[in-house]
Amino acid sequence: MLSRAPKGTSDILPSQIDYWYYAENIIKEVLQSYGYREIRTPAFEHTELFVRGIGETSDIVNKEMFTFQDRKGRSLTLRPEGTAPVVRAYLEHNLSRENPLSKLFYLGNMFRCEKPQAGRYRQFNQFGLEAIGSPSALVDTEIILASWAIYQKLGLTNLSLMINSVGCRECRPEYLEALKDYFHDKKKLLCPDCRERYDKNPLRILDCKNKQCQIEIKNSPSIFDYLCKDCDRHFQQLRKYLDSLQIAYQVNPLLVRGLDYYTKTAFEIISGELGAQNAVGGGGRYDYLVEELGGKHTPAVGFAAGMERMISTMEKQEIKIPFWEGIKVFVATVAQEDISAALKIINHIRENGVSAEMDFLDKSLKAQMRLANKLDVSHTVIVGQEELKEQKVILKNMADGQQEKVAISQILRYLQPKKKG
Ligand code: ATP
Ligand code: MG
């Protein structure tokens, strides 16, 4: 128990952290170049926010939330996703006052009590972006472009973009009726989950992975025969903009976001590398969410992506990233009495932005030199009484083994940044 992390969680070790730094930096860079600013919301919120914001019939609210009570008996939930918290913060801080279109992004842990498997964890990381305040298909286009640009900049290949429209309050009810009519006689053939979806949320049936359900889904009515003028025009606009940028996409009428707050555009980015859990991220428009959470009618659109799936794709595709260069300088001491002087010297080196390490285990000079070798430093500074008398140290170049006496004030001149292969 004590020596194992809880089920569905994992440690990101120092040997993997460079992938995370690299991905996080690119996400921040790309999104800021599109004018999105980072927002950091708490790791937990009032449970009601997610029940309202994600919807009672969703898998997340039904079975995946980590919910607990605080000491006063209020129900709190570890955030399973980022959109509802961002919209809560947008309303709480009245962000629309600063700007009629709020462009926000986030990075952080999410928590879902799912059955752990490859690409599916109980604590995982997402980045996401939200544009709150415009109904224009131009914003949907920008969200897709910005998300796509991140994967491009990371160097990922073998990705595809799927788009769809899920209609709106005007046209979706009629489509849902058509779906119900179609599945009515086929109910017995559907999986137990879909039988439940039939009553609660028939749109969700379309997204079922069950083989038998998929056979029935194949010939189901298409949303494109039901879209109202406004939704149809919006979808054509989006396609026009994507075409003009020569962004390749597939229209997938089975791609859905199940809830009433989702409207018009739904999209997903799929990786050919990931097997069953192949969606690196998904997004879409949510024109009714802000009012659902107590604000005034405010159209919005966003995207969220799993970082673990993104990083495992980077590893599979052997994306080259800049790794940590390691320690550059070792400061060794001849005897105990040299330690204070060595501390001053190592401080001076580090303050100048050069990484330096010393011994903490009372090792002999010989053992310290072995450690310096193991760390693969470019230089070792040897601090000893004799040289200290003249305000000097011995500087050993580890590449050629040359040693010379150097004035302490001159050390930095010799410590060129070391390049590693
Ligand atoms: P899925 O169909 O894979 O369950 P979802 O619809 O639950 O996805 P979203 O809520 O749209 O996913 O989250 C966006 C992205 O977050 C997913 O595409 C995926 O990359 C990632 N993600 C979702 N759940 C998990 C999880 N449990 N572990 C790791 N990553 C996840
Ligand atoms: Mg899920």
Side-chain angles (χ1 to χ4, degrees):
M1 269 285 269
L2 282 180
S3 57
R4 288 233 186 278
K7 199 169 157 182
T9 69
S10 56
D11 303 301
I12 299 170
L13 297 174
S15 59
Q16 306 161 304
I17 201 71
D18 290 314
Y19 280 102
W20 288 83
Y21 287 160
Y22 185 67
E24 287 163 3
N25 285 338
I26 285 192
I27 290 164
K28 289 178 189 170
E29 242 173 69
V30 170
L31 292 179
Q32 299 209 66
S33 79
Y34 277 77
Y36 290 76
R37 297 286 292 151
E38 184 174 356
I39 180 167
R40 298 187 185 184
T41 64
F44 59 88
E45 298 271 356
H46 293 120
T47 301
E48 194 53 27
L49 175 71
F50 299 117
V51 176
R52 285 289 202 102
I54 308 172
E56 268 168 287
T57 64
S58 65
D59 283 353
I60 292 181
V61 171
N62 258 324
K63 46 188 187 199
E64 296 174 1
M65 294 204 300
F66 280 105
T67 296
F68 60 98
Q69 286 193 348
D70 71 8
R71 285 166 193 267
K72 295 228 166 100
R74 282 169 298 223
S75 182
L76 300 170
T77 293
L78 296 181
R79 59 177 176 193
E81 59 96 52
T83 303
V86 168
V87 171
R88 195 264 311 135
Y90 165 88
L91 290 171
E92 181 170 341
H93 305 287
N94 209 350
L95 296 185
S96 63
R97 215 175 22 196
E98 290 165 27
N99 219 322
L101 179 64
S102 293
K103 303 206 321 187
L104 303 165
F105 79 88
Y106 59 84
L107 282 156
N109 297 129
M110 303 295 159
F111 306 85
R112 297 185 192 177
C113 192
E114 303 199 67
K115 192 164 157 255
Q117 50 194 290
R120 204 175 278 296
Y121 313 102
R122 292 188 170 176
Q123 177 178 327
F124 60 101
N125 289 272
Q126 280 189 339
F127 76 88
L129 53 155
E130 317 285 353
I132 308 173
S134 165
S136 167
L138 190 54
V139 188
D140 306 49
T141 310
E142 187 184 81
I143 291 270
I144 293 176
L145 284 179
S147 314
W148 194 253
I150 289 170
Y151 296 105
Q152 292 293 305
K153 187 110 193 219
L154 284 170
L156 296 182
T157 52
N158 200 3
L159 293 175
S160 41
L161 170 65
M162 310 272 213
I163 63 170
N164 190 24
S165 175
V166 295
C168 68
R169 276 176 190 157
E170 294 299 315
C171 53
R172 194 164 43 221
E174 205 187 322
Y175 178 58
L176 294 183
E177 278 313 306
L179 279 181
K180 281 191 144 182
D181 281 351
Y182 171 81
F183 285 113
H184 187 267
D185 299 335
K186 304 181 174 60
K187 244 202 245 175
K188 328 179 260 316
L189 303 172
L190 300 177
C191 72
D193 278 349
C194 280
R195 265 176 264 157
E196 211 171 297
R197 289 173 186 137
Y198 180 90
D199 295 313
K200 287 193 184 158
N201 192 357
L203 204 60
R204 265 284 173 205
I205 298 177
L206 298 182
D207 165 62
C208 184
K209 305 284 183 290
N210 180 294
K211 279 217 172 83
Q212 182 59 36
C213 293
Q214 291 203 338
I215 296 174
E216 303 308 325
I217 291 164
K218 239 191 201 153
N219 296 316
S220 61
S222 162
I223 180 94
F224 292 109
D225 295 328
Y226 292 86
L227 290 184
C228 62
K229 268 214 178 93
D230 183 40
C231 286
D232 185 54
R233 203 180 312 124
H234 194 272
F235 191 64
Q236 297 314 326
Q237 271 292 345
L238 171 66
R239 294 191 59 166
K240 194 181 103 187
Y241 291 140
L242 291 175
D243 289 339
S244 70
L245 289 157
Q246 293 179 314
I247 302 278
Y249 59 84
Q250 267 170 275
V251 176
N252 177 1
L254 299 179
L255 172 64
V256 294
R257 321 232 88 201
L259 302 164
D260 291 351
Y261 331 126
Y262 294 108
T263 46
K264 298 189 165 77
T265 313
F267 72 100
E268 237 167 28
I269 299 178
I270 308 286
S271 162
E273 233 79 37
L274 287 178
Q277 264 64 56
N278 64 354
V280 292
R285 185 161 269 288
Y286 50 93
D287 286 348
Y288 307 132
L289 180 60
V290 179
E291 56 187 284
E292 191 62 36
L293 296 179
K296 56 178 197 289
H297 178 75
T298 311
V301 51
F303 173 77
M307 301 273 297
E308 281 77 4
R309 292 186 199 177
M310 176 161 131
I311 285 169
S312 80
T313 311
M314 284 168 67
E315 286 172 334
K316 283 190 183 121
Q317 297 189 350
E318 297 178 8
I319 302 287
K320 294 261 179 305
I321 61 156
F323 285 102
W324 182 54
E325 290 184 352
I327 293 288
K328 299 215 169 80
V329 181
F330 192 85
V331 179
T333 48
V334 176
Q336 280 272 333
E337 55 191 345
D338 307 320
I339 290 181
S340 297
L343 264 178
K344 263 195 184 160
I345 293 169
I346 200 170
N347 267 350
H348 173 62
I349 296 171
R350 287 169 169 170
E351 273 168 9
N352 283 278
V354 178
S355 57
E357 196 50 287
M358 63 191 293
D359 164 49
F360 297 93
L361 302 174
D362 206 14
K363 288 189 200 299
S364 68
L365 181 58
K366 211 167 149 194
Q368 290 178 61
M369 295 312 286
R370 273 200 299 271
L371 178 56
N373 261 320
K374 199 169 146 207
L375 290 172
D376 200 17
V377 295
S378 70
H379 291 84
T380 300
V381 175
I382 302 166
V383 184
Q385 285 303 309
E386 216 183 294
E387 294 78 20
L388 282 176
K389 282 185 206 137
E390 309 167 55
Q391 292 293 310
K392 289 188 173 164
V393 290
I394 292 176
L395 186 69
K396 180 169 179 181
N397 182 329
M398 303 299 276
D400 56 16
Q402 294 290 324
Q403 297 194 170
E404 58 183 307
K405 249 201 243 175
V406 170
I408 292 173
S409 60
Q410 300 296 308
I411 294 176
L412 281 164
R413 292 189 171 206
Y414 292 83
L415 307 178
Q416 301 294 348
K418 190 178 129 203
K419 289 266 178 290
K420 271 196 183 170

